[in-house]
Amino acid sequence: MYYDLTEYGFEDENTWTEIENDEDIAEFLEKFVFHDVFIESIVYESGTRALNKNTMGFEATHNMIITFTSCWCGRVEVFFRTVRKFSLQGFYEHIFGNEIYDYYLKFHIDLWGKTRDSKVIVWADSSWFNPKNYCEQIDLQNESITFVIADGMKWRFIKD
């Protein structure tokens, strides 16, 4: 089940382009270059809902939409389906905004351990990001990496 995007003004899910393989990643990166890019907004759906005043409901739909803005390529929305893990770099004083100069975008089947080989897609705002070795201590004086690990990804350009 996908996130109900209509409350955010998106009416037609068919305008999205699904990323299913390495060729789709290459095509996406040909059309949207992650250089001089900013994260404009992030919408995250946890999957937990109040069914009534005494009961919580849960769906396995932890989805996220990130809107990226580029002076070169315009605006693009990236929809991450079933987010497994993410980290967001908030305000950082020593750089102009949270500008993204490079990226990491790859499929992985080696992140679940030896008993499972389910494919996930990994995006990060740094080309040297390695999800298998990522272990960062919290240090508010240093910038960190924003990343998303999810079961799927799709994207689309949006008009201003």
Side-chain angles (χ1 to χ4, degrees), residues 39 42 64 66 86-91 98 144-147:
I39 293 176
I42 296 176
M64 179 182 288
I66 300 178
F86 74 93
S87 176
L88 173 64
Q89 165 67 50
F91 176 72
N98 283 356
S144 63
I145 295 173
T146 295
F147 69 89

Side-chain angles (χ1 to χ4, degrees), residues 89-100:
Q89 165 67 50
F91 176 72
Y92 182 64
E93 297 173 348
H94 305 295
I95 58 174
F96 178 69
N98 283 356
E99 191 169 2
I100 300 169

Side-chain angles (χ1 to χ4, degrees), residues 24-157:
D24 293 340
I25 289 175
E27 181 181 334
F28 170 60
L29 296 174
E30 221 175 84
K31 294 179 179 178
F32 190 81
V33 179
F34 276 97
H35 182 76
D36 294 337
V37 172
F38 296 89
I39 293 176
E40 181 179 314
S41 66
I42 296 176
V43 177
Y44 178 74
E45 177 194 32
S46 71
T48 305
R49 305 198 186 326
L51 300 176
N52 58 48
K53 70 178 186 172
N54 297 322
T55 309
M56 297 295 288
F58 175 76
E59 298 174 13
T61 57
H62 295 264
N63 300 322
M64 179 182 288
I65 299 172
I66 300 178
T67 302
F68 294 99
T69 301
S70 164
C71 58
W72 303 98
C73 305
R75 296 169 67 216
V76 69
E77 291 174 323
V78 177
F79 180 91
F80 294 97
R81 178 179 39 80
T82 314
V83 174
R84 300 297 178 164
K85 188 174 209 83
F86 74 93
S87 176
L88 173 64
Q89 165 67 50
F91 176 72
Y92 182 64
E93 297 173 348
H94 305 295
I95 58 174
F96 178 69
N98 283 356
E99 191 169 2
I100 300 169
Y101 293 101
D102 64 354
Y103 65 91
Y104 179 97
L105 183 60
K106 294 182 182 174
F107 286 106
H108 279 267
I109 59 168
D110 55 352
L111 299 180
W112 287 102
K114 294 181 179 181
T115 61
R116 187 170 163 184
D117 64 353
S118 299
K119 181 169 81 170
V120 293
I121 192 161
V122 179
W123 174 84
D125 64 357
S126 175
S127 60
W128 56 269
F129 178 76
N130 182 341
K132 291 192 76 161
N133 296 334
Y134 186 75
C135 181
E136 181 179 38
Q137 294 183 5
I138 296 172
D139 181 353
L140 294 179
Q141 294 183 26
N142 293 317
E143 66 179 303
S144 63
I145 295 173
T146 295
F147 69 89
V148 180
I149 300 173
D151 286 357
M153 177 182 148
K154 59 185 178 178
W155 68 277
R156 69 177 177 182
F157 282 107

